[in-house]
Amino acid sequence: MSAFLDLHGNTSKALRALADRDMRRLGLHLGQNHVLAVLWDQDGRTPGEMAAALNVTTPTIVKMATRMTTAGLLVRRRDDRDNRLVRLWLTDKGRALQEPVEADRKTLEDKVTAALTDSERAHLMTALAKIHTSALELLGGPIEDPGTLPD
């Protein structure tokens, strides 16, 4: 067995469980915070634009947007210039989650990296970025589960 893959997999599962716990406390499902973050950056994107930004398939975004619309976080509206396009827009409720989501994620990051020095943290981020790039290149296509997306 690969020590790296085992450790990384177990760490990813633990971090995902912690993040899921925090997002559920805010009324979100894991992965919805990534959709919100893209819209906080630029509201009114199409599902295709969202999928490209998050490296997932468009049907994944459509399914999440349906759930998030039902929860009152998003609305769908036709594009003003091209009626064939649908755009996703944040509601006030979706906008209001930015501060608590970002605060929870920062707190979690601080807690799980508390035992690291600044230098260790910097090396970890550099190494993980390289591994992430290599993995996406090997994958060659979008990820199906937005709950596994990096920030």
Side-chain angles (χ1 to χ4, degrees):
M1 297 290 272
S2 166
F4 166 76
L5 290 178
D6 289 345
L7 180 57
H8 184 272
N10 290 334
T11 303
S12 293
K13 286 177 190 175
L15 290 173
R16 184 179 171 129
L18 290 166
D20 185 45
R21 178 200 65 195
D22 291 348
M23 291 305 102
R24 287 192 184 278
R25 192 176 53 62
L26 295 172
L28 296 172
H29 293 275
L30 190 59
Q32 290 178 343
N33 55 304
H34 297 292
V35 171
L36 289 171
V38 170
L39 292 173
W40 293 329
D41 183 52
Q42 183 184 345
D43 206 5
R45 294 188 186 199
T46 67
E49 292 168 343
M50 298 287 300
L54 294 172
N55 196 36
V56 298
T57 63
T58 300
T60 297
I61 294 297
V62 170
K63 182 178 178 181
M64 289 189 78
T66 297
R67 178 180 260 177
M68 293 173 77
T69 298
T70 300
L73 302 171
L74 305 176
V75 292
R76 288 181 167 112
R77 289 198 302 256
R78 292 277 172 200
D79 184 88
D80 294 338
R81 292 174 297 219
D82 186 345
N83 199 39
R84 296 170 296 175
L85 294 177
V86 171
R87 296 198 173 272
L88 304 176
W89 298 90
L90 292 165
T91 62
D92 289 342
K93 183 178 178 181
R95 273 187 221 81
L97 285 170
Q98 184 171 4
E99 187 176 320
V101 165
E102 289 176 352
D104 277 5
R105 293 184 62 76
K106 175 72 171 113
T107 298
L108 177 57
E109 181 178 321
D110 289 347
K111 286 179 179 179
V112 300
T113 61
L116 301 177
T117 66
D118 290 342
S119 177
E120 288 172 330
R121 196 173 293 134
H123 287 293
L124 174 64
M125 294 303 291
T126 299
L128 283 175
K130 289 178 181 180
I131 292 167
H132 180 250
T133 298
S134 295
L136 289 178
E137 288 172 359
L138 289 169
L139 186 61
I143 299 167
E144 293 300 322
D145 180 3
T148 63
L149 297 174
D151 286 328

